């Protein structure tokens, strides 16, 4: 579905300005590898159930737009000091009174790469700086579920079937 990435079509009254903005969009997409980032996010959503990205400023970009989307492993979405006594907090996300995400907590290091014992450290980001892409299948769902989850049992059955078939043939 993503292909070479989204295309921009400007329909303003100034055709020269439209062409300039469309050209700059293509240049920005290439320099940030935006289509590749979207394809990776799509695969993460299927495997892990969600894709998580930080919208940030990259002054090194040779384009007029200095914004860049950096994907983060969904395992890093985690509140390090989460307690059940704090309503409005779900692992990695703080919600306002209306139920909208207000803050996201992202571990500074992937939990599988922790070399030091103890409480992991995390940085808090405003929701406006986060892209959290997942399918919401029920009310008040805050994290996605892997699209592969329903078929996991079938993979095991297929593996056993193949082994049994090979043993019978041998």
């Amino acid at each position: 579905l993503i292909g070479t990435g989204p295309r921009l079509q400007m329909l303003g009254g100034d055709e020269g300005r439209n062409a300039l903005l469309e050209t700059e969009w293509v240049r920005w997409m290439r320099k940030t590898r935006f289509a590749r980032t979207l394809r990776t996010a799509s695969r993460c959503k299927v495997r892990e159930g969600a894709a998580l990205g930080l919208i940030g400023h990259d002054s090194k970009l040779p384009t007029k737009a200095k914004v860049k989307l950096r994907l983060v492993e969904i395992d890093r979405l985690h509140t390090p000091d989460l307690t059940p006594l704090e309503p409005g907090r779900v692992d990695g996300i703080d919600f306002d009174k209306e139920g909208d995400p207000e803050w996201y907590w992202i571990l500074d290091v992937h939990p599988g790469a922790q070399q030091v014992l103890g409480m992991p450290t995390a940085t808090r980001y405003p929701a406006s700086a986060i892209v959290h892409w997942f399918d919401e299948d029920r009310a008040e769902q805050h994290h996605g579920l892997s699209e592969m989850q329903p078929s996991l049992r079938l993979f095991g059955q297929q593996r056993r079937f193949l082994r049994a078939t090979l043993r019978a043939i041998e």
Side-chain angles (χ1 to χ4, degrees):
L1 294 173
I2 294 165
T4 60
R7 290 173 180 67
L8 178 67
Q9 181 182 13
M10 297 299 297
L11 299 173
D14 184 347
E15 290 185 23
R17 183 168 172 77
N18 292 345
L20 179 67
L21 288 171
E22 290 170 1
T23 301
E24 185 64 17
W25 168 262
V26 170
R27 186 168 176 248
W28 174 84
M29 285 214 3
R30 286 185 183 138
K31 294 297 181 184
T32 61
R33 300 179 178 137
F34 192 59
R36 183 176 76 173
T37 301
L38 291 177
R39 285 190 294 274
T40 302
S42 178
R43 287 190 295 272
C44 289
K45 184 178 164 294
V46 169
R47 277 191 317 262
E48 287 91 42
L52 188 68
L54 287 168
I55 302 169
H57 180 83
D58 185 352
S59 59
K60 295 178 286 184
L61 281 174
T63 58
K64 292 180 182 174
K66 303 294 183 187
V67 69
K68 187 172 182 181
L69 179 65
R70 181 172 59 96
L71 295 180
V72 177
E73 182 77 35
I74 196 70
D75 293 345
R76 289 178 56 196
L77 181 61
H78 175 75
T79 309
D81 59 348
L82 186 66
T83 67
L85 302 175
E86 297 180 81
R89 295 185 99 184
V90 175
D91 194 26
I93 310 170
D94 293 351
F95 295 90
D96 63 18
K97 292 180 181 180
E98 289 77 35
D100 295 320
E102 190 171 23
W103 298 98
Y104 282 80
W105 292 87
I106 298 178
L107 293 176
D108 296 328
V109 179
H110 189 282
Q114 290 285 341
Q115 301 296 322
V116 183
L117 296 175
M119 186 67 76
T121 59
T123 303
R124 187 173 83 156
Y125 295 91
S128 60
I130 300 291
V131 174
H132 187 194
W133 180 27
F134 68 97
D135 289 334
E136 190 174 344
D137 298 319
R138 61 183 196 277
E140 299 181 346
Q141 179 180 343
H142 307 298
H143 289 277
L145 300 172
S146 170
E147 294 175 24
M148 297 172 61
Q149 185 178 7
S151 61
L152 291 178
R153 187 178 309 165
L154 295 175
F155 291 145
Q157 291 171 348
Q158 181 183 16
R159 188 173 42 252
R160 287 196 319 273
F161 175 79
L162 287 174
R163 286 181 184 157
T165 304
L166 286 173
R167 277 195 298 270
I169 291 171
E170 289 172 348

